[in-house]
């Protein structure tokens, strides 16, 4: 789902899609995701709205993005809920819609964690061979 991909691109976490089509007439799907900060809630909601506008898709309505605790972007058949994590836990939409089939969306573009760079301790400084150090006699060039 395009909205899930856009949310993940802005580092949204715990992205879940609930299929509520058989349970409600308000929408077919709810996208629920978390953000680590209020600023990130706004960024995720803005990215979804901006990228879909570029494709000619405009939301029916948006709520709460300025406050940054819970943003709602309504596209009719799909409603995106972007939560600041503590607020998501409090409202527990997944619990409210527990009967709805859910799909957790993972970021498939995340790379494997990089190996840590080995740091050289000051006591184990590398000594360059004299052949690499420019000579004062030659003006810095090797002969």
């Amino acid at each position: 789902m395009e909205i899930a991909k856009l949310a993940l691109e802005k580092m949204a976490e715990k992205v879940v899609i609930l299929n509520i089509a058989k349970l409600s007439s308000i929408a077919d799907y709810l996208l629920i995701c978390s953000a680590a900060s209020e600023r990130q809630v706004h960024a995720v909601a803005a990215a979804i709205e901006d990228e879909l506008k570029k494709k000619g898709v405009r939301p029916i309505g948006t709520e709460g993005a300025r406050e940054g605790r819970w943003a709602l972007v309504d596209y009719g058949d799909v409603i995106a809920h972007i939560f600041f994590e503590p607020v998501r836990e409090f409202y527990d939409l997944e619990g409210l819609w527990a009967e709805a089939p859910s799909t957790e969306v993972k970021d498939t573009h995340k790379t494997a964690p990089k190996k840590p760079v080995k740091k050289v301790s000051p006591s184990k400084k590398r000594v360059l061979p004299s052949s690499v150090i420019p000579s004062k006699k030659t003006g810095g060039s090797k002969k």
Side-chain angles (χ1 to χ4, degrees):
M1 184 176 284
E2 182 73 15
I3 292 176
K5 180 181 147 226
L6 295 170
L8 288 167
E9 286 175 1
K10 285 295 180 183
M11 308 304 287
E13 299 172 350
K14 300 179 189 171
V15 179
V16 176
I17 298 171
L18 302 179
N19 182 342
I20 63 166
K22 293 180 180 177
L23 302 172
S24 177
S25 62
I26 62 166
D28 290 339
Y29 299 96
L30 297 179
L31 174 123
I32 303 169
C33 64
S34 298
S37 68
E38 292 177 3
R39 178 175 274 180
Q40 188 185 11
V41 169
H42 175 75
V44 172
I48 289 169
E49 196 171 345
D50 293 345
E51 290 301 314
L52 291 180
K53 274 183 186 174
K54 289 177 186 176
K55 296 179 179 190
V57 180
R58 298 190 179 275
I60 293 170
T62 58
E63 295 290 332
R66 275 194 211 136
E67 293 80 17
R69 299 184 61 71
W70 177 2
L72 180 145
V73 188
D74 184 353
Y75 287 97
D77 290 342
V78 179
I79 301 173
H81 294 272
I82 303 99
F83 286 99
F84 179 46
E85 182 58 38
V87 177
R88 180 178 181 169
E89 291 174 17
F90 179 79
Y91 285 103
D92 188 25
L93 289 186
E94 289 98 330
L96 181 67
W97 294 99
E99 296 175 32
S102 67
T103 304
E104 187 172 351
V105 182
K106 299 283 187 181
D107 188 355
T108 58
H109 294 94
K110 281 188 180 177
T111 57
K114 293 182 181 178
K115 291 182 181 177
V117 176
K118 187 176 181 181
K119 293 185 179 182
V120 177
S121 65
S123 63
K124 294 182 180 181
K125 289 184 180 176
R126 253 179 59 190
V127 178
L128 295 174
S130 60
S131 62
V132 177
I133 302 171
S135 167
K136 289 183 181 177
K137 292 179 184 175
T138 59
S141 64
K142 291 187 203 176
K143 287 193 178 187

